[in-house]
Amino acid sequence: MRLPRMLSALLLAMATSAAAQTYPAKPVKIIVPWPPAGVSDVLARALAQAMTETSGQQFIVENKPGAGGTLGMAQLAKSPADGYTLAASDIPSHAISASLYAKLPYDVLADFEPVAVIARSPMVLVTHPTLNARSVAEFIQLARQKPGMAYGSSGNGSITHLAIERMKQLTGIDLQHVPFKGTIGAVSSVLAGDTALAFGTVPGVVPHAKAGKLVLLGSSFAKRFSQIPEVPPIADTLPGFDMGFYTALFAPAGTPRDVLQRAYAVTQKAFGNPRLKAVYAASAAEPGAMTSAELKSYMAAEVKSWGDVVHKVGLKID
């Protein structure tokens, strides 16, 4: 009886390897757990189109918004682990959900296989010109002199909320949180002088800065970003401060390694597509550079670091 079992295992391995070599052999669905027309959706659709053109097989985006991105990721967790259902979601939201939600229908790390970072874009910390703070250090000094100033975010538990909470924990400054429905609302509150500080996107804040209506204090990446080289990293003042809008492609846990490697290869090839480059440039985004293994380690570190912030803030969604 032993030989047939060994033969079965060998045949299964051969079939899996053959399937991986021909991947994708049929249309691939990419779940976007966010509404249409948002940044994640725009970048995922540009990637899907480029992957379609470079692979010769259709990659189709399906929006599944709701519950801070967890509805779409729950759908992915229950999908067949064959590489034909993937999800494109931002890493911070996915990592934050592990500690933010009291009950999740999946394990953020154990139930998914990271494929690739498909895009990265920094957040930009902004304030109003009338506050006379022209750098992160100057704003910190101002906040110590005037404790209790308000800051805006795109909502409770969002990266724009918890990034400033992390900044507060690193500096000891006292700021009061005012949540808005989206980054636009938070930046608009700074423009109106209703709040003193907020994180925004590069396209959303640079035009206002050029018009003299906002001051760009710093970018959230550890190094200067190519589209705003004049803006210093926040890390220059607060060492180790490194975060931003990272979007990654995920597969269900148990997806064969060969299939993951093929999916990664198709993704990397798509980055050379001229149309994708144009969409990314307009969105102030760059392709990611991590391997799947590096992304897996990064995800684990993000879950831990954001979990520390969430616990200190005392946030929990039932």
Side-chain angles (χ1 to χ4, degrees):
M1 294 295 294
R2 188 173 180 181
L3 183 58
R5 286 183 184 177
M6 291 177 63
L7 185 58
S8 265
L10 179 62
L11 290 173
L12 179 60
M14 291 173 64
T16 301
S17 178
Q21 289 172 13
T22 58
Y23 178 89
K26 61 181 181 179
V28 179
K29 179 169 67 177
I30 299 178
I31 299 168
V32 174
W34 305 100
V39 175
S40 293
D41 180 62
V42 169
L43 296 174
R45 288 182 183 278
L47 179 69
Q49 182 61 37
M51 292 172 82
T52 296
E53 293 176 9
T54 55
S55 72
Q57 189 56 259
Q58 279 193 309
F59 283 77
I60 304 165
V61 169
E62 177 185 286
N63 295 92
K64 183 75 173 179
T70 62
L71 289 184
M73 296 307 289
Q75 180 178 328
L76 178 68
K78 294 183 289 187
S79 298
D82 57 7
Y84 288 96
T85 303
L86 306 172
S89 188
D90 64 283
I91 293 174
S93 295
H94 187 48
I96 289 167
S97 67
S99 50
L100 181 63
Y101 291 89
K103 294 180 181 178
L104 278 179
Y106 54 80
D107 185 290
V108 167
L109 295 176
D111 289 338
F112 304 99
E113 290 289 349
V115 178
V117 178
I118 63 173
R120 57 192 294 273
S121 182
M123 301 183 295
V124 186
L125 193 63
V126 298
T127 192
H128 198 276
T130 57
L131 291 180
N132 295 318
R134 296 294 183 269
S135 67
V136 172
E138 288 182 4
F139 184 87
I140 293 170
Q141 183 178 10
L142 175 66
R144 286 176 176 152
Q145 294 169 353
K146 297 182 177 181
M149 289 191 298
Y151 76 89
S153 83
S154 56
N156 284 313
S158 65
I159 183 176
T160 58
H161 170 207
L162 297 180
I164 293 182
E165 288 297 324
R166 181 178 285 181
M167 182 178 168
K168 286 170 58 179
Q169 292 168 12
L170 290 171
T171 61
I173 59 176
D174 176 23
L175 298 170
Q176 300 303 309
H177 179 220
V178 181
F180 292 87
K181 292 182 178 180
T183 306
I184 293 174
V187 172
S188 295
S189 74
V190 178
L191 282 165
D194 296 329
T195 60
L197 193 70
F199 271 114
T201 63
V202 174
V205 300
V206 168
H208 295 302
K210 288 181 177 178
K213 297 178 180 179
L214 286 176
V215 176
L216 310 182
L217 296 175
S219 66
S220 65
F221 280 177
K223 297 180 180 179
R224 292 180 186 253
F225 186 62
S226 59
Q227 289 198 20
I228 46 171
E230 73 282 5
V231 181
I234 296 170
D236 283 1
T237 304
L238 303 176
F241 197 97
D242 183 11
M243 61 194 71
F245 300 115
Y246 287 81
T247 303
L249 205 60
F250 297 92
T255 302
R257 184 175 298 276
D258 286 353
V259 173
L260 292 172
Q261 290 173 343
R262 283 286 300 152
Y264 175 83
V266 174
T267 303
Q268 301 306 299
K269 189 175 180 181
F271 289 154
N273 183 279
R275 270 185 256 179
L276 177 142
K277 289 181 177 180
V279 172
Y280 273 39
S283 302
E286 298 174 341
M290 293 185 199
T291 64
S292 298
E294 289 170 340
L295 176 54
K296 194 162 191 172
S297 297
Y298 179 75
M299 273 299 310
E302 284 289 277
V303 168
K304 183 182 184 307
S305 62
W306 284 118
D308 291 342
V309 178
V310 170
H311 293 317
K312 287 178 182 177
V313 175
L315 284 175
K316 186 63 71 173
I317 296 177
D318 294 326

